[in-house]
Amino acid sequence: MSHPFIQEARQIVGVEHTITDPRKMERFTKGFRFGSGSALVVVQPATLLEMWKIAQACVKHDLILINQASNTGLTGGSTPDGDYDRPVVIMSNRRVKGIFLINDESQAIALPGANLFELEDELRKHNREPHSVIGSSCIGASVVGGICNNSGGALIHRGPAYTQLAIYAKLHEDGVLRLHNELGVNLGDDPETILTRLQNRDFTSDDVINDPSKVASDHEYQERIRDVDADTPARFNNDGRRLYGASGSAGRLVVFAVRVDTFEKPKREKVFYIATNETKNLSKIRRHILSHFKELPVSGEYIHRDYFTVSEKYGRDTVRVIKSVGSKYIPKFFSFKSSVDRVLNRFSFLPKGTSDLVIQFFMNLLPSHLPKFMLDFNKKYEHHLILKMADDGVDEAQQYFDEFFKEHEGACHACTPEEGEMAILHRFAAAGAAKRYQVALGKQSGGIIAFDVALRRNDEDWFEVLPPELDKLFVSKLYCGHFFCHVMHQDYIVKPGVDPMEAKMALFPLFDQRGAQYPAEHNVGHLYQAKEELKNFYRENDPTNSFNPGIGKTSRLKNWCDCGEEHDGLFSGMK
């Protein structure tokens, strides 16, 4: 006999959008990169009001609710994981679309199903940009999801995704679900009116409240990143200074909309490609630019020679798809590939990652897509920095590098627009290329583990050198990152017979000794333990522990059980 909630959900969102077949639910119950679990049902509302009614029904039937936007997270935070004391409902909000530009397009209101590419596409008409323009946007990540996870990014001026302006529902300690309108828009008094008016954009500029004490992006980040002598990281997910309402809530609230800043596009841009064999040279460049340049770079992406080589071979399809048809089609590419993988995985005689192996076979038949100077640099230099400057910063950088490399080892190449685009796409393709590389290694690999680590802003020894007893665990170590933020992405492919999770845990003490914070921008999900400030934030937002319980290695039990945290998780006990 089916659960009474299922019949109620069918009446709210329709039979077609109430999914109970485990095979059809798989794309919602399995994470993009990590995590999977089971659920009672997946519901797909089409409006904000339907979202509200589903949330109310979950409270009525004492069910766990996991809100899901695009399910593009890397740490499994938007899917079930492990055992729960109540049935789990996944509410996928992809159908709840809507982007409303306000205040002369300087801000945008995004509904849960609006993704970063759609926002970028809308702002392009007004010569403006969203918080993120490449990276998560290219796999279809949502604007709301970025805010809820304090997602980071490559853009140095803008810091982590953050706003103090949102509208959300909170399940209070008394068991009552209440709507909180902190969006800064007058929409009425009762939830049904507020959500319906917002959905229909039934408001005018006179209804928009511009309170100077409420911000829609991290206005302090440029000052923070310029403090190169600080003994703490610039940004990381456990940072209490950027936990506010929906920001950092990670599914502990039902978020209906967020209001975010948009940014004027630069009038001109230029990419400088820097390479050296001395890490200290990149440190000098970073420190000088952050301390002395009038104009901060747009982005500064580091990639090590080994990762360069892997990305050149195993990221060709990603780069070619973006170059051929644009980043708009990358989410469809990943979605189609995931569908094929789900079908192929049912055949036990096929190797894991069959689709990757087939794609790679054809990619190997093609010549390199990279400019010749990049291939030459990779042969000659170990460390690479892709620096994008804008407006007056272009001339400032050109003058600086002309002088710098007269006295220091290495080289700088001022890219043409085409070369600059390829350099940036090459760096973007690295993460997916690492996974493809691990699949291609087959039995020579025991798996892949990944970190996003925020190093201290004053850390001069930023390039990792492992002690021999740890180094011997790995077939390959791949390093890249957002260099000026000191957020490094580090992928390790373990040798056959090595437990990836044990190897990953063995790396934690090294990061702790260096004063690093982790995760830096992908949030704790079900992989990492939330630190005290983040755990307290979760408890404040979700006192009954009914919305996305268990993330950050916290209790999955109702009312937090009053019996402490669970300690059966992967990184439980880590501080």
Side-chain angles (χ1 to χ4, degrees), residues 133-412:
V133 295
I134 193 167
S136 296
S137 59
C138 285
I139 55 175
S142 70
V143 180
V144 168
I147 292 294
C148 291
N149 289 297
N150 280 146
S151 299
L155 301 181
I156 294 169
H157 294 77
R158 302 172 193 178
Y162 179 73
T163 187
Q164 296 174 341
L165 301 164
I167 183 168
Y168 58 85
K170 175 178 178 178
L171 182 56
H172 288 256
E173 198 164 6
D174 59 6
V176 177
L177 187 73
R178 296 186 177 92
L179 190 71
H180 296 255
N181 182 6
E182 299 174 0
L183 194 63
V185 181
N186 289 318
L187 295 165
D189 298 316
D190 64 282
E192 289 77 6
T193 299
I194 291 171
L195 295 175
T196 300
R197 286 188 62 190
L198 179 58
Q199 182 84 53
N200 298 331
R201 208 194 190 292
D202 183 17
F203 61 88
T204 68
S205 58
D206 291 335
D207 294 311
V208 176
I209 303 167
N210 293 308
D211 181 349
S213 69
K214 301 290 186 181
V215 300
S217 63
D218 189 346
H219 291 186
E220 301 172 352
Y221 191 70
Q222 291 193 38
E223 180 181 347
R224 186 173 177 82
I225 197 174
R226 282 187 182 274
D227 187 1
V228 294
D229 293 316
D231 199 36
T232 57
R235 58 178 171 90
F236 54 97
N237 287 129
N238 281 289
D239 186 359
R241 59 184 285 278
R242 284 298 173 251
L243 300 175
Y244 186 101
S247 293
S249 60
R252 294 294 188 168
L253 303 168
V254 182
V255 180
F256 296 94
V258 295
R259 178 171 161 184
V260 294
D261 286 335
T262 70
F263 304 87
E264 187 177 358
K265 277 190 173 183
K267 294 179 176 59
R268 64 168 177 149
E269 292 180 322
K270 195 170 190 65
V271 172
F272 296 89
Y273 198 102
I274 297 113
T276 179
N277 288 309
E278 300 287 344
T279 58
K280 64 182 180 181
N281 288 342
L282 293 188
S283 294
K284 289 178 181 178
I285 289 170
R286 174 182 175 272
R287 189 175 186 87
H288 179 88
I289 288 176
L290 292 179
S291 300
H292 301 292
F293 269 33
K294 182 180 178 181
E295 298 290 336
L296 282 176
V298 175
S299 62
E301 294 297 293
Y302 169 78
I303 186 167
H304 183 262
R305 171 190 280 156
D306 292 344
Y307 220 151
F308 181 110
T309 303
V310 166
S311 187
E312 190 277 329
K313 182 174 182 178
Y314 296 98
R316 291 181 182 183
D317 52 319
T318 300
V319 173
R320 289 179 185 275
V321 168
I322 295 175
K323 278 291 292 177
S324 299
V325 297
S327 58
K328 181 177 182 177
Y329 292 92
I330 285 292
K332 295 179 181 178
F333 173 78
F334 278 114
S335 178
F336 175 73
K337 181 179 176 300
S338 295
S339 298
V340 171
D341 287 338
R342 282 194 294 271
V343 173
L344 295 179
N345 288 341
R346 296 172 189 166
F347 299 96
S348 58
F349 61 88
L350 291 175
K352 289 186 177 181
T354 297
S355 66
D356 281 294
L357 296 174
V358 172
I359 292 171
Q360 193 58 43
F361 172 81
F362 288 104
M363 290 298 104
N364 289 342
L365 302 177
L366 301 175
S368 177
H369 53 286
L370 295 180
K372 184 177 182 300
F373 88 87
M374 288 178 63
L375 298 173
D376 291 341
F377 270 26
N378 195 46
K379 292 177 182 177
K380 190 174 182 181
Y381 301 110
E382 183 178 2
H383 305 284
H384 301 240
L385 178 64
I386 306 159
L387 185 71
K388 179 187 277 192
M389 300 298 300
D391 298 331
D392 292 343
V394 174
D395 297 331
E396 195 172 14
Q398 184 69 72
Q399 182 178 359
Y400 171 68
F401 289 126
D402 286 345
E403 295 300 317
F404 184 87
F405 285 107
K406 288 178 181 178
E407 301 178 0
H408 297 85
E409 179 268 344
C412 174

Side-chain angles (χ1 to χ4, degrees), residues 11-245:
Q11 293 172 354
I12 296 171
V13 304
V15 174
E16 181 183 355
H17 300 292
T18 306
I19 306 170
T20 56
D21 183 335
R23 287 190 176 182
K24 293 181 180 178
M25 286 197 291
E26 188 177 342
R27 65 191 179 104
F28 304 97
T29 59
K30 186 175 182 179
F32 176 76
R33 185 72 64 82
F34 169 85
S36 64
S38 59
L40 172 69
V41 60
V42 174
V43 291
Q44 298 176 292
T47 67
L48 298 174
L49 187 56
E50 288 182 2
M51 285 179 60
W52 169 253
K53 290 179 178 179
I54 289 294
Q56 285 184 309
C58 286
V59 173
K60 170 185 170 183
H61 291 283
D62 195 21
L63 302 175
I64 287 171
L65 176 61
I66 296 178
N67 271 281
Q68 190 178 95
S70 297
N71 193 21
T72 58
L74 302 183
T75 58
S78 59
T79 58
D81 180 84
D83 298 323
Y84 299 87
D85 62 342
R86 294 148 287 169
V88 174
V89 173
I90 297 176
M91 182 160 67
S92 172
N93 300 318
R94 293 182 184 181
R95 299 175 64 220
V96 191
K97 297 284 190 181
I99 294 172
F100 312 132
L101 302 183
I102 60 173
N103 291 336
D104 297 322
E105 295 82 40
S106 67
Q107 291 185 323
I109 295 172
L111 304 192
N115 64 46
L116 285 164
F117 178 82
E118 291 164 344
L119 179 56
E120 183 180 1
D121 205 32
E122 185 66 27
L123 290 173
R124 189 178 293 113
K125 305 169 189 175
H126 305 282
N127 202 39
R128 298 188 71 83
E129 295 177 332
H131 173 271
S132 301
V133 295
I134 193 167
S136 296
S137 59
C138 285
I139 55 175
S142 70
V143 180
V144 168
I147 292 294
C148 291
N149 289 297
N150 280 146
S151 299
L155 301 181
I156 294 169
H157 294 77
R158 302 172 193 178
Y162 179 73
T163 187
Q164 296 174 341
L165 301 164
I167 183 168
Y168 58 85
K170 175 178 178 178
L171 182 56
H172 288 256
E173 198 164 6
D174 59 6
V176 177
L177 187 73
R178 296 186 177 92
L179 190 71
H180 296 255
N181 182 6
E182 299 174 0
L183 194 63
V185 181
N186 289 318
L187 295 165
D189 298 316
D190 64 282
E192 289 77 6
T193 299
I194 291 171
L195 295 175
T196 300
R197 286 188 62 190
L198 179 58
Q199 182 84 53
N200 298 331
R201 208 194 190 292
D202 183 17
F203 61 88
T204 68
S205 58
D206 291 335
D207 294 311
V208 176
I209 303 167
N210 293 308
D211 181 349
S213 69
K214 301 290 186 181
V215 300
S217 63
D218 189 346
H219 291 186
E220 301 172 352
Y221 191 70
Q222 291 193 38
E223 180 181 347
R224 186 173 177 82
I225 197 174
R226 282 187 182 274
D227 187 1
V228 294
D229 293 316
D231 199 36
T232 57
R235 58 178 171 90
F236 54 97
N237 287 129
N238 281 289
D239 186 359
R241 59 184 285 278
R242 284 298 173 251
L243 300 175
Y244 186 101

